Amino acid sequence: MFLRTLLPFLLLIPIVSSSRAAADAAGYLGVQVCGECHTKERDLWRDSYHDRAMKEPTAETVLGDFNDVMFTAHGVTSRFFKRDGRFFVHTDGPDGTLTDYPIRYTFGWYPLQQYLIEMPGGRLQALGIAWDSRPTERGGQRWFHLYPNERIDHTNPLHWTGLDQTWNYQCADCHSTDLKKGYDAQRNVYDTRFAEINVACEACHGPGARHVDWARKAAEAKAAGSAPPASDPALGLAVDLKDRDGGQWQIDPATGKPMRSVPRTAHTQTETCARCHARRGRIWEELRPGEALNQGFRLALLEPNLYFPDGQIKDEVFDFGSFIQSRMYHQGVVCSDCHEPHSLKPKAAGNALCLRCHQADRYDVAAHHHHAENSTGTACIGCHMTQRIYMVIDERADHSLRIPRPDLSAKLGTPNACNGCHQDKDAAWAATAVAGWFPDPVNRKPHFGEALQAADTGAPDAASRLLALAGDPNQPAIARATALERLHDRPSQDALLTVRRLLADPDALVRAAAVRFLDLTDLRTRVELAWPLLSDPVRTVRLEAARVLAPLMTQTMGDALIGELTKALEEYAAAETVNADRPESNLNLGSIAAAAGEPEVAQRAYQAALRLDPSFVPAYANLADLYRAQGQESQAQAQLRAGLAVSPDNADLNHALGLALVRAKRLDAALESLARASELAPDTTRYAYVYAVALDSAERTAEALPVLEAAAARDGGDSELLVALVQYNAKLGRPEAAAAWLDKLAILTPKDPAVEQLRKSLRQSPGVGLP
């Protein structure tokens, strides 16, 4: 019964916020104290992107033109002006009314600067109009809208006053030092505080009090001529970011490639940077400086909306998810090998940066790059770190440092560096050119992107390819974990055998994804396989184990086992409550409560999600499902219709309403909703399948066949679709068609005895005449 008492408490109390005094108590001293000794590092940091991450608005920090300038976007004319020494914007507010808003903070510096506006409840909102701070000759020194191609008004979720533009959740974590969100869920207000307004020394090195104390004692001992304090290799620093293994980069005489003289065993520096330079979600309130990323954050995998199938950046994913795919990361390269860590600037300009480790006579020559000298094609980053534009004008480099693969572009439709420049040519032309320059087939070896693409396109062999990828320790862990995620839609006994092994994988990303796969198994299997992972050393893995084991709270267990699972579920609830200001976290809290047999708590969590965002469709669906499980069908339908009132074109809600109407024996009305869901989400084969089954139930089997055939054409790896096609064709007296679909099913699942049993039963069925 832990959730009945704990979860309401977690949902309602404020997360304690810090003040300047609290920051001092935690040992944060500020850049002024650090700079007293570390003047060189302080001066390098000054005016860096970290220094300029967030500032009070002054004539020196505000880059935008506030000299009574008008700017029109999406039918709204905004005016930027100054009054009594303060900076203002006259623009549309949360109800669409034009209002004067004072600028509370500047946000960022180059190539664009945003502006934060203070709203009721302690919220800071990021204005959707930004200043292009690039030089005029590069198209800068102008106002522009961050969503130029979408119709943005006050009703749009992307409007600057909306939930998705709230600084306290979306941005604050990475633009200030020792930030405490201070969200009070009961009152839906923030009291957000920070030790320093920008990204200062202690954002990376941790609180400096112990280091200062160490330095003071060492200085006192030296002045007194006495013995220094006890040795501390980290010099009292909360995070030791310095290489202390003596490793140096050198050329491997056997390969002519760079290698580290001492293999790197720790990734503290890279993961410290990754706390902000990664697409991730925070899962813990109190973070320990220097601890592994997966103790406080959940890293986004190679999801189709974020990455191309081959792992190239698509959406705004920052750097870490790309970098951990690279050979350089696995060979021990860290951020400061290329970037000066205080100024953040590259350690050298152009190719000279790469030539700090790579031999010039091997790589900075026409024999390698095959382009005319001094042309753009000779730039290392041009081929190996292609750039994409985000936020309209911000070019960011892909840090996977990949070899150009136009041959993959021809197969997968992914971008490649060659055609990024030679836009008048196609991928086949580029692939031929690269193969001529580098004929060794190793340069075109199989790539994990082919397995992910197979899953995305519903290829019949997708499951086997995903299994092979997930189980290959030579592939990047982020790709292997992604393969396990894709396998969710293609469960099989073979998959479970692989997952069983991967639950002990050395990489936590893979282990966590393997635990998530156990959602598809029965409780006995979950207990056998997931229970040991409740004590995994990595938090992200423990949280997944707690989630899949939550239904055990409805079973009879001994006190010791209940206590162990209760502790794990408390950790899960605490992790989600970190983001209690988001509907998604409340949805997760509701789901875990429902699984643990706490429907009242689940209901409150779903309702909290809808209070935060009345258009949040999953909460309507889950709340309806909760009512259905309790036998309250009328309430379930009411919730689904309420959701459709705000999102009439949502496929999930239409599908769920269709199922509810089936249960209510209103088959004609159900078919309308199920058909609508199938039309709205044609790539969701489950919706097509359910619609076809409903048509068959309504004795409209002939109409079901084209629905199934279209779905099978999109996803040939769905055995359920193929079984239905076999059965319905046989039912309609089409033995040749039934046999053809049965043959495809046998190819898809060659070891499944159920296929031959189906063939046998159909042969014995009167009137079928199966060949």
Side-chain angles (χ1 to χ4, degrees):
M1 301 293 288
F2 90 103
L3 281 167
R4 192 179 299 280
T5 55
L6 175 69
L7 190 51
F9 179 71
L10 288 170
L11 285 171
L12 295 178
I13 65 167
I15 297 173
V16 178
S17 65
S18 72
S19 62
R20 178 64 258 177
D24 290 342
Y28 287 87
L29 304 178
V31 69
Q32 287 186 328
V33 173
C34 300
E36 290 176 4
C37 294
H38 302 284
T39 56
K40 176 185 175 183
E41 290 79 6
R42 178 201 61 199
D43 292 344
L44 285 167
W45 168 85
R46 190 73 70 193
D47 292 331
S48 68
Y49 291 148
H50 279 176
D51 179 20
R52 298 286 190 175
M54 185 166 159
K55 292 284 189 181
E56 296 277 354
T58 67
E60 291 73 31
T61 61
V62 172
L63 300 180
D65 187 350
F66 281 79
N67 292 310
D68 209 29
V69 172
M70 312 290 279
F71 175 78
T72 300
H74 307 303
V76 175
T77 297
S78 302
R79 182 168 65 95
F80 296 86
F81 64 99
K82 287 180 275 189
R83 180 197 301 155
D84 301 326
R86 300 178 68 193
F87 298 85
F88 287 81
V89 60
H90 181 76
T91 194
D92 59 331
D95 61 356
T97 302
L98 293 171
T99 306
D100 290 350
Y101 293 102
I103 302 301
R104 184 64 185 88
Y105 296 106
T106 67
F107 206 60
W109 185 253
Y110 188 89
L112 69 150
Q113 185 174 72
Q114 289 183 265
Y115 300 93
L116 301 179
I117 294 171
E118 198 163 19
M119 301 295 279
R123 285 169 169 75
L124 287 173
Q125 299 291 136
L127 191 65
I129 304 168
W131 178 255
D132 185 340
S133 53
R134 299 175 302 168
T136 305
E137 58 269 22
R138 293 194 58 198
Q141 300 303 297
R142 64 187 177 100
W143 292 105
F144 70 100
H145 203 286
L146 290 166
Y147 302 99
N149 301 319
E150 301 180 52
R151 178 71 182 180
I152 304 291
D153 63 15
H154 68 281
T155 65
N156 192 302
L158 295 177
H159 191 258
W160 73 270
T161 60
L163 191 68
D164 290 339
Q165 307 296 344
T166 300
W167 165 87
N168 311 67
Y169 167 78
Q170 293 283 15
C171 326
D173 217 12
C174 291
H175 279 253
S176 299
T177 300
D178 189 38
L179 183 125
K180 303 295 182 183
K181 184 164 54 174
Y183 178 67
D184 184 331
Q186 185 174 20
R187 296 186 297 131
N188 190 25
V189 299
Y190 294 93
D191 182 22
T192 305
R193 309 288 183 91
F194 39 70
E196 290 191 87
I197 192 172
N198 50 13
V199 182
C201 313
E202 292 160 301
C204 303
H205 294 283
R210 196 159 63 91
H211 172 63
V212 170
D213 184 59
W214 171 89
R216 178 182 56 79
K217 290 178 178 177
E220 290 174 351
K222 182 178 180 180
S226 57
S231 176
D232 180 354
L235 312 181
L237 290 165
V239 186
D240 188 8
L241 299 175
K242 186 177 179 62
D243 284 332
R244 301 188 185 278
D245 59 7
Q248 300 290 329
W249 287 101
Q250 57 192 26
I251 299 299
D252 183 347
T255 65
K257 296 179 180 180
M259 65 170 289
R260 202 167 185 271
S261 59
V262 178
R264 186 176 295 284
T265 58
H267 294 285
T268 303
Q269 183 192 126
T270 306
E271 297 205 4
T272 296
C273 299
R275 289 187 173 195
C276 290
H277 294 274
R279 183 73 172 252
R280 85 298 185 271
R282 187 162 176 170
I283 58 169
W284 207 245
E285 177 65 17
E286 294 298 331
L287 302 175
R288 284 207 314 243
E291 69 181 352
L293 182 73
N294 49 31
Q295 300 290 14
F297 301 91
R298 184 179 286 112
L299 182 69
L301 299 181
L302 305 181
E303 300 164 12
N305 61 315
L306 301 180
Y307 294 87
F308 289 100
D310 63 352
Q312 291 188 73
I313 56 175
K314 179 190 291 184
D315 197 36
E316 194 170 6
V317 295
F318 310 102
D319 303 323
F320 183 71
S322 300
F323 186 51
I324 60 176
Q325 300 174 45
S326 71
R327 290 177 63 184
M328 291 177 70
Y329 169 79
H330 291 282
Q331 291 297 318
V333 174
V334 295
C335 307
S336 64
D337 284 324
C338 300
H339 298 273
E340 203 294 317
H342 301 98
S343 71
L344 312 179
K345 296 177 180 178
K347 287 190 169 180
N351 287 2
L353 177 64
C354 304
L355 300 179
R356 296 176 72 247
C357 293
H358 295 270
Q359 290 178 298
D361 58 1
R362 177 169 180 167
Y363 295 102
D364 198 19
V365 292
H368 177 73
H369 56 63
H370 294 275
H371 287 78
E373 291 298 329
N374 300 317
S375 69
T376 56
T378 65
C380 302
I381 64 170
C383 293
H384 300 291
M385 296 185 72
T386 54
Q387 296 186 325
R388 288 177 67 83
I389 296 176
Y390 301 96
M391 302 183 80
V392 183
I393 62 171
D394 191 3
E395 287 186 319
R396 300 183 194 170
D398 190 319
H399 277 62
S400 55
L401 300 133
R402 62 184 59 238
I403 295 172
R405 291 289 303 268
D407 59 306
L408 286 181
S409 297
K411 294 179 184 177
L412 312 180
T414 51
N416 70 82
C418 306
N419 294 120
C421 289
H422 298 279
Q423 297 181 10
D424 59 330
K425 307 291 186 180
D426 61 15
W429 169 86
T432 300
V434 172
W437 296 339
F438 303 99
D440 189 339
V442 73
N443 295 307
R444 286 165 295 284
K445 61 185 178 181
H447 192 280
F448 67 74
E450 296 171 86
L452 299 184
Q453 175 77 348
D456 294 343
T457 57
D461 62 345
S464 60
R465 298 176 81 168
L466 290 171
L467 278 173
L469 169 56
D472 185 352
N474 295 315
Q475 296 296 328
I478 192 171
R480 299 173 61 211
T482 302
L484 286 170
E485 290 289 286
R486 298 286 208 282
L487 277 167
H488 264 260
D489 296 330
R490 293 166 175 79
S492 68
Q493 191 61 37
D494 289 344
L496 187 57
L497 291 173
T498 298
V499 166
R500 182 184 292 267
R501 175 168 56 86
L502 296 181
L503 289 167
D505 195 86
D507 195 283
L509 269 180
V510 176
R511 291 202 305 279
V515 177
R516 283 194 293 276
F517 186 89
L518 298 181
D519 274 337
L520 304 174
T521 64
D522 57 49
L523 272 182
R524 182 182 296 274
T525 303
R526 296 189 197 189
V527 172
E528 176 194 353
L529 299 181
W531 195 278
L533 293 164
L534 290 176
S535 56
D536 192 276
V538 175
R539 180 170 284 120
T540 51
V541 180
R542 295 197 302 271
L543 295 179
E544 294 298 340
R547 186 182 57 79
V548 301
L549 291 170
L552 284 174
M553 293 299 288
T554 64
Q555 309 296 309
T556 300
M557 292 188 294
D559 290 345
L561 296 179
I562 290 176
E564 188 175 349
L565 183 53
T566 296
K567 180 181 177 182
L569 290 171
E570 287 173 352
E571 184 178 36
Y572 182 94
E576 291 297 339
T577 306
V578 169
N579 296 313
D581 52 340
R582 294 293 301 181
E584 301 90 348
S585 288
N586 284 280
L587 180 80
N588 292 340
L589 287 167
S591 297
I592 199 83
E598 301 286 354
E600 294 178 2
V601 176
Q603 179 179 333
R604 287 198 294 272
Y606 295 146
Q607 290 169 339
L610 290 173
R611 282 195 299 273
L612 289 168
D613 184 1
S615 66
F616 186 59
V617 166
Y620 289 107
N622 280 28
L623 190 52
D625 196 54
L626 185 69
Y627 286 135
R628 179 198 60 75
Q630 296 174 299
Q632 302 178 46
E633 287 287 352
S634 60
Q635 290 93 326
Q637 285 193 35
Q639 281 300 317
L640 293 171
R641 295 186 189 281
L644 285 167
V646 298
S647 184
D649 292 334
N650 184 271
D652 298 336
L653 292 179
N654 276 284
H655 180 74
L657 180 59
L659 294 177
L661 292 169
V662 168
R663 292 191 299 271
K665 303 187 186 307
R666 297 177 55 194
L667 192 54
D668 288 343
L671 284 171
E672 292 182 16
S673 294
L674 294 174
R676 180 71 174 142
S678 184
E679 293 167 3
L680 290 167
D683 292 334
T684 305
T685 54
R686 179 67 185 171
Y687 292 172
Y689 172 79
V690 171
Y691 176 43
V693 170
L695 285 169
D696 176 63
S697 299
E699 300 184 358
R700 295 164 58 181
T701 308
E703 296 176 51
L705 285 179
V707 174
L708 292 169
E709 289 166 356
R714 289 188 297 268
D715 188 354
D718 191 317
S719 60
E720 203 170 38
L721 290 175
L722 301 184
V723 169
L725 281 162
V726 172
Q727 293 174 331
Y728 292 174
N729 274 290
K731 180 178 180 179
L732 293 172
R734 302 174 181 177
E736 292 81 6
W741 287 111
L742 191 55
D743 289 342
K744 290 183 179 181
L745 181 62
I747 294 171
L748 180 66
T749 55
K751 299 178 183 179
D752 191 348
V755 176
E756 287 308 310
Q757 183 60 40
L758 177 61
R759 190 188 301 274
K760 181 179 178 181
S761 66
L762 289 175
R763 281 175 174 165
Q764 295 172 351
S765 297
V768 175
L770 190 68

